[in-house]
Amino acid sequence: MGRYRMEDFEVDVSEDLGPLLFVKLRKTHLLLKDAWFCNHITVWVFQQSMEEKEVVFPCYRWVQGDGIICLPEATAWMMRNEVQGLFQKHGEEELEERRTLYRWATWKEGLPLSVAAASEKDLPLDVRFHEGKKIDFEGTLAAGMMDIALKRLYTLLSSWNSLEDFDQIFWGSKSALAKRVRQSWKEDDFFGYQFLNGVNPTLLRRSTSLPTRLVIPPELEGLQAQLERKLQEGCLFEADFSLLDGIQANVIQGERQHLAAPLVMLKMEPDGKLLPMAIQLQPPCSGSPDPPLFLPSDPSLTWLLAKAWVRNSDFQLHELQAHLLKTHLVAEVFAVATMRCLPGMHPIFKLLIPHLRYTLEINTRARTKLISDGGIFDQVVNTGGGGHLDVLRKATACLTYRSLCPPDDLADRGLLGIPSALYAHDALRLWDIISRYVQGTVHLYYSEDEVVQSDPEVQAWCQEITEIGLCGAQERGFPVSFQSRAELCHFVTMCIFTCTAQHSGINQGQLDWYAWVPNAPCTMRKPPPTTKDVTLEMVMATLPNVHQACLQMTIAWHLGRFQPDMVPLGHHKEEYFSGPGYKAVLKRFQEDLNTLEREIVARNEGLDLPYYYLQPSRIENSITI
Ligand SMILES: CCCCC/C=C\C/C=C\C/C=C\C/C=C\C/C=C\CCC(=O)O
Ligand SMILES: [Fe+2]
């Protein structure tokens, strides 16, 4: 039997089968690997003197071995209390089986729970990468490793002592914006811009007071006055990396790496540009002299090194907190809870499952190759060697429900209504569009709040996410039950937004902003400067070495590049729902996304730096990379 064969099978049945509730599916098992993926079964019923009727049984699962798959009819959930509880019983059996297939595991204490699987090979076939994705994923990694070998060979033959020497490895696949980063990375407005619309737009806040950790030496009273004025005008902003304070730095091949925990104060100009005013690299520590404040007026290399330290710290919080924890790991919790608590005929299962595709496998791979003992973090990142897990732990301990919902998150950070905040603008538009889609679907199945309150499955799902998967996150605002349709819609909107828009916003920028390594160094090999005497030798000795820089470029490209098998948001082919109601809601969703697409394209045409991470055609329907 050939691989990748697609076939439609038609079977005629002449006898009257009565009302159709289930179909059962089985395949004779001959060879070791002869599984088939079944999309759906459609039965056309011909009734005398009546129109032909179509009855659909969605499947979208592998049929393997000798097992029998029993598929309830697409509208079964609406009839769950009828037909002698047959659908009810089927759902219970399905969940019983799924709970053995998808088990929770504690990979590391203090992190959200994950799926129990030591490697991707342990995962059920239904959630594995399909052949094409696996070949592409592993093939491009191998090609990337070849690039590294060539770059190392090339740089062995030349010098590595000026910033321009990073050009020697700046070849191979890279985006237009990555080239722009190389040109502009030293500019202050470019540095400021990244907090609004770069790879990590999640940290910046509008200041409501001067941060307590900011100690301004008496000789800088002018700065103090400027900061206070900007604060009063409402245009003072801060990016505080205190979460990194106290994290143990990595030791790479016997060499200790170093970490900082900076605070950056920025002002917004009337034209929307965000400019850094001061950088404090470490919080004050009793018994030590106050940490220096670095300023734009400092010698250019001093100021550049201070900014490079901030970019390195941003790399850590971006990858660990914004990316891994707040998209990948929480999406995994949604995925495992969905598999364990919601039967296939449940409308919330049908709504969410296209947004959970491939997430369990990519996360399992991250746990075995990226953040594992000896993984990429240990090899080339200054939080590696265990510090990265502590960052994840600290970030988990302060993960709030509000921070996953842009209307709340952006309001809390004071970022509403800023014309140059493009991530914020597009995220809010997407939140509204997704929310309308979710509400449209939920209202088809839940006619009133009471139906939500009395749905034991959706209540168990909520509780499992908050109390089990997120390890008691009710303390941080996550719900343990849904009292109304609105609460359910808000939560499901958050799930879909996180798995789609938010991940795309956080993931794609790796390609653009991480290719020019000095803009986002993966590690720092010397301690942060404590005086303003900085030389080029110090800068070069601090930034990543050739090998570290090459690996950063390869992995950033691997993870940030366009995925060949990507499904854009709202365009999955699976049809789990049947009937005109959902079709209309989906059509509206796709139209809303198209409208936003056109708005973003038109807006970007007039911009010096286009912001396209939240352009709907670029948003993946689930976390797959
Ligand atoms: C050094 C820079 C990259 C750091 C990326 C950090 C976090 C990314 C977050 C989530 C990515 C999720 C999954 C990626 C999984 C595995 C693949 C990565 C590398 C594999 C290398 C290998 O197989 O040898
Ligand atoms: Fe990712």
Side-chain angles (χ1 to χ4, degrees):
M1 193 181 327
R3 285 175 145 186
Y4 309 120
R5 233 177 57 211
M6 286 235 275
E7 259 181 60
D8 285 331
F9 299 94
E10 279 193 27
V11 183
D12 283 331
V13 181
S14 50
E15 58 268 43
D16 180 2
L17 299 176
L20 297 179
L21 306 179
F22 297 95
V23 293
K24 289 189 176 177
L25 190 59
R26 184 173 70 87
K27 154 190 94 42
T28 24
H29 177 47
L30 297 170
L31 304 161
L32 204 54
K33 281 192 173 175
D34 62 355
W36 277 76
F37 190 82
C38 168
N39 286 334
H40 55 84
I41 294 190
T42 305
V43 181
W44 286 276
V45 184
F46 298 93
Q47 294 153 312
Q48 265 179 353
S49 72
M50 279 172 74
E51 294 263 303
E52 116 187 18
K53 193 173 118 203
E54 195 181 274
V55 191
V56 185
F57 301 81
C59 181
Y60 305 106
R61 282 155 61 188
W62 286 98
V63 189
Q64 54 178 333
D66 284 314
I68 295 179
I69 292 194
C70 180
L71 304 171
E73 197 266 314
T75 61
W77 195 74
M78 296 303 256
M79 299 180 283
R80 64 200 180 285
N81 299 325
E82 298 161 25
V83 289
Q84 296 117 43
L86 282 179
F87 286 130
Q88 188 69 35
K89 183 161 169 288
H90 169 80
E92 283 161 15
E93 285 167 6
E94 184 183 16
L95 287 185
E96 201 173 312
E97 188 194 349
R98 288 232 218 95
R99 287 201 182 107
T100 65
L101 285 172
Y102 300 89
R103 283 175 300 106
W104 292 110
T106 302
W107 181 65
K108 297 283 179 209
E109 285 297 334
L111 301 194
L113 299 196
S114 58
V115 66
S119 88
E120 65 278 3
K121 298 190 183 71
D122 294 341
L123 292 170
L125 198 51
D126 285 329
V127 293
R128 294 290 316 269
F129 287 174
H130 288 195
E131 192 82 9
K133 168 85 174 171
K134 177 172 158 15
I135 291 170
D136 174 70
F137 185 87
E138 291 174 358
T140 47
L141 257 180
M145 296 303 159
M146 279 295 292
D147 270 8
I148 297 183
L150 288 173
K151 286 176 177 175
R152 293 207 66 190
L153 192 66
Y154 182 78
T155 48
L156 271 183
L157 307 170
S158 51
S159 62
W160 187 264
N161 46 32
S162 80
L163 288 164
E164 288 66 41
D165 287 340
F166 278 93
D167 272 326
Q168 295 173 35
I169 58 167
F170 195 61
W171 50 262
S173 337
K174 57 187 166 323
S175 65
L177 184 47
K179 291 182 203 160
R180 173 67 190 271
V181 173
R182 179 193 164 283
Q183 299 301 333
S184 306
W185 70 285
K186 292 180 183 167
E187 293 160 18
D188 279 2
D189 59 346
F190 206 74
F191 173 83
Y193 174 90
Q194 295 183 58
F195 288 110
L196 283 173
N197 306 319
V199 68
N200 186 15
T202 66
L203 193 67
L204 186 76
R205 322 182 70 88
R206 194 191 298 258
S207 305
T208 49
S209 60
L210 289 190
T212 47
R213 64 171 275 188
L214 186 69
V215 187
I216 303 175
E219 66 273 18
L220 290 182
E221 60 190 20
L223 175 68
Q224 170 103 28
Q226 272 183 41
L227 290 167
E228 273 165 8
R229 198 171 58 246
K230 292 292 164 196
L231 178 68
Q232 263 148 31
E233 290 167 5
C235 41
L236 185 68
F237 292 79
E238 64 199 56
D240 189 345
F241 298 83
S242 290
L243 199 79
L244 294 172
D245 189 27
I247 298 293
Q248 176 85 289
N250 200 357
V251 177
I252 302 176
Q253 295 185 324
E255 281 186 34
R256 174 153 296 284
Q257 311 293 298
H258 299 270
L259 278 164
L263 167 70
V264 189
M265 300 306 299
L266 307 105
K267 61 179 172 190
M268 182 156 293
E269 298 288 85
D271 63 2
K273 284 193 172 143
L274 198 59
L275 296 178
M277 299 175 74
I279 293 174
Q280 182 198 50
L281 288 179
Q282 301 285 28
C285 172
S286 62
S288 306
D290 284 337
L293 278 188
F294 294 93
L295 306 169
S297 55
D298 287 341
S300 59
L301 269 182
T302 308
W303 180 233
L304 191 68
L305 184 58
K307 287 190 291 180
W309 267 103
V310 172
R311 300 294 317 135
N312 168 262
S313 304
D314 198 43
F315 178 102
Q316 315 303 323
L317 292 195
H318 164 255
E319 291 294 17
L320 294 168
Q321 183 174 35
H323 188 192
L324 257 174
L325 174 67
K326 291 178 75 177
T327 65
H328 281 257
L329 298 185
V330 298
E332 178 165 0
V333 168
F334 306 153
V336 176
T338 300
M339 296 316 272
R340 292 175 58 85
C341 303
L342 300 177
M345 63 190 167
H346 196 286
I348 303 298
F349 179 91
K350 295 179 181 213
L351 187 54
L352 281 181
I353 197 74
H355 304 294
L356 303 171
R357 184 179 85 133
Y358 290 166
T359 304
L360 296 182
E361 172 146 359
I362 192 65
N363 284 6
T364 305
R365 285 178 183 261
R367 277 188 292 274
T368 55
K369 293 279 197 283
L370 190 69
I371 50 175
S372 48
D373 272 351
I376 302 286
F377 265 80
D378 284 8
Q379 288 172 45
V380 298
V381 182
N382 48 343
T383 49
H388 62 307
L389 301 174
D390 289 331
V391 176
L392 281 169
R393 278 187 196 103
K394 280 176 141 186
T396 304
C398 61
L399 173 70
T400 64
Y401 185 32
R402 289 180 69 84
S403 78
L404 298 180
C405 307
D408 301 324
D409 175 55
L410 293 164
D412 292 350
R413 295 197 286 130
L415 294 186
L416 296 175
I418 300 176
S420 57
L422 307 175
Y423 159 82
H425 173 271
D426 297 354
L428 284 177
R429 286 281 282 117
L430 280 156
W431 175 271
D432 280 347
I433 291 172
I434 294 171
S435 153
R436 178 165 14 190
Y437 166 63
V438 169
Q439 196 187 82
T441 310
V442 165
H443 285 196
L444 291 172
Y445 294 90
Y446 295 87
S447 53
E448 51 184 352
D449 291 344
E450 206 281 321
V451 187
V452 175
Q453 290 159 12
S454 61
D455 175 350
E457 285 157 348
V458 88
Q459 299 292 350
W461 175 72
C462 174
Q463 196 174 3
E464 183 125 341
I465 289 176
T466 296
E467 289 185 353
I468 299 177
L470 296 176
C471 308
Q474 61 273 27
E475 289 163 18
R476 280 167 278 112
F478 287 85
V480 283
S481 68
F482 302 122
Q483 296 310 313
S484 63
R485 298 195 296 180
E487 283 179 15
L488 171 62
C489 288
H490 191 79
F491 192 81
V492 173
T493 300
M494 178 277 289
C495 294
I496 297 181
F497 181 86
T498 301
C499 296
T500 59
Q502 186 64 6
H503 178 258
S504 288
I506 296 300
N507 192 73
Q508 290 178 70
Q510 294 177 103
L511 188 72
D512 298 325
W513 300 97
Y514 286 178
W516 179 251
V517 172
N519 184 61
C522 58
T523 188
M524 295 299 248
R525 295 179 295 143
K526 292 280 179 246
T530 49
T531 73
K532 301 208 172 178
D533 295 321
V534 171
T535 61
L536 183 60
E537 289 70 46
M538 280 168 69
V539 175
M540 289 306 285
T542 303
L543 292 178
N545 65 25
V546 175
H547 170 66
Q548 294 159 345
C550 286
L551 196 60
Q552 165 173 341
M553 290 179 73
T554 293
I555 301 295
W557 172 73
H558 180 62
L559 300 177
R561 96 209 132 96
F562 180 82
Q563 294 295 302
D565 74 335
M566 85 89 101
V567 176
L569 175 57
H571 288 275
H572 46 277
K573 295 274 177 294
E574 301 89 339
E575 292 183 16
Y576 287 97
F577 292 101
S578 85
Y582 175 77
K583 272 204 179 66
V585 173
L586 180 65
K587 185 158 169 280
R588 177 68 193 261
F589 182 39
Q590 294 172 345
E591 285 167 1
D592 287 348
L593 291 168
N594 284 340
T595 306
L596 178 61
E597 176 86 16
R598 287 193 296 272
E599 280 173 29
I600 294 180
V601 169
R603 183 229 15 232
N604 284 349
E605 275 169 12
L607 289 177
D608 174 35
L609 280 173
Y611 183 75
Y612 42 66
Y613 303 138
L614 296 183
Q615 199 170 307
S617 62
R618 287 175 166 254
I619 297 177
E620 259 200 281
N621 210 34
S622 65
I623 300 178
T624 74
I625 189 69

